[in-house]
Amino acid sequence: MKRQSGKSAIEMLFEKLAFYYPGKWQQCFKSEAELKNWMIGWAEELEERKVTFDEAKLGLGQCIKLYKDWPPTFPQFLEACRPSLDYEAAFHEAIEQMHLRGEGRDEWSNPAIYHAAVRIGMDMNNPYAYLKTRWKTELDKAIYDVSAGNLPSVIEKRVNPSGYLPAPKRQDGEYSEAYLNEKAKLDEILNSEPAWRKTLHEKGKDISSPHAGL
């Protein structure tokens, strides 16, 4: 976990827990020495387990749901940061969200589910029973890679998923930058020479003839 806004991540975590559990959190520390020991201990454990800032934010959100009456212990907080997944439920989430992704409406409960689905690719069309072992392996790998920073923890939305150009005009009547960018991309594709035509052209074939490849 890294420093943010001039404060260490562990100081920010303390303040958040104090905010979520007013009075009760401070009662856990009878002296400045106990508070210092807590900060050192938790910071070391979080660092050793490579808990990311995003995972800590997830953990805080989970604490509100799981531990409403009293602040969590470190094992409880760690479990909240990295909740165990139901592999079959995660698989069906991946199927549903991949379909929604085509419309730019996907929402992922855990980024590892998305990355695991991407790694498996078209084989995700198979039944869960067929992919059960492979799915668990890929999901476990993705969970580790996200926690280690090897894979992004935020899944970006697809840009212009419908394939249509955005609205061309702004309110001032000028062409929007988004429209011009998308149009440039489409023009590049439409004006580029198809691979099959380029190959025939390089071989000296008459590319205007419908029988050029024969």
Side-chain angles (χ1 to χ4, degrees):
M1 299 175 69
K2 299 180 180 179
R3 290 181 176 273
Q4 300 266 331
S5 304
K7 296 182 180 179
S8 69
I10 200 66
E11 289 172 332
M12 294 177 66
L13 178 58
F14 177 88
E15 291 180 358
K16 280 291 186 181
L17 289 170
F19 174 76
Y20 289 157
Y21 303 97
K24 294 179 180 179
W25 180 241
Q26 285 85 343
Q27 290 177 27
C28 296
F29 311 100
K30 298 179 181 178
S31 66
E32 286 295 324
E34 286 190 2
L35 172 57
K36 184 177 180 180
N37 289 335
W38 173 86
M39 286 192 170
I40 293 174
W42 275 46
E44 289 177 346
E45 294 298 322
L46 291 170
E47 181 67 24
E48 182 177 342
R49 289 166 174 76
K50 298 186 184 302
V51 176
T52 66
F53 198 80
D54 287 334
E55 285 179 326
K57 288 174 62 178
L58 172 64
L60 286 168
Q62 290 290 102
C63 285
I64 296 175
K65 301 176 183 178
L66 300 174
Y67 313 113
K68 297 180 180 179
D69 298 326
W70 199 256
T73 62
F74 181 80
Q76 290 173 330
F77 182 73
L78 183 61
E79 184 177 0
C81 291
R82 295 173 176 172
S84 58
L85 292 174
D86 181 321
Y87 289 95
E88 185 171 5
F91 177 82
H92 292 297
E93 175 184 327
I95 297 295
E96 178 183 20
Q97 296 307 316
M98 277 301 192
H99 284 298
L100 292 175
R101 189 165 178 78
E103 305 170 11
R105 298 191 295 114
D106 52 316
E107 298 288 344
W108 301 89
S109 64
N110 189 310
I113 297 175
Y114 166 78
H115 293 301
V118 170
R119 284 174 170 174
I120 292 177
M122 293 300 295
D123 283 348
M124 286 293 292
N125 292 319
N126 290 296
Y128 176 70
Y130 178 82
L131 284 174
K132 184 176 181 180
T133 301
R134 184 182 174 192
W135 172 250
K136 183 180 186 304
T137 299
E138 293 295 349
L139 186 53
D140 286 343
K141 287 180 182 177
I143 291 172
Y144 171 79
D145 284 338
V146 170
S147 66
N150 299 327
L151 289 172
S153 59
V154 177
I155 308 303
E156 295 185 0
K157 293 291 186 181
R158 289 187 62 189
V159 178
N160 194 24
S162 65
Y164 295 105
L165 287 173
K169 294 295 183 72
R170 300 194 307 244
Q171 290 185 348
D172 59 9
E174 297 293 329
Y175 287 104
S176 68
E177 183 178 355
Y179 170 81
L180 293 175
N181 288 338
E182 291 296 326
K183 185 176 185 302
K185 292 177 184 178
L186 290 175
D187 287 343
E188 183 178 357
I189 294 172
L190 292 174
N191 295 330
S192 62
E193 188 174 36
W196 64 268
R197 184 182 291 271
K198 183 177 181 180
T199 300
L200 293 178
H201 185 270
E202 290 175 349
K203 290 181 178 180
K205 299 284 187 178
D206 179 10
I207 59 176
S208 62
S209 169
H211 306 293
L214 299 179

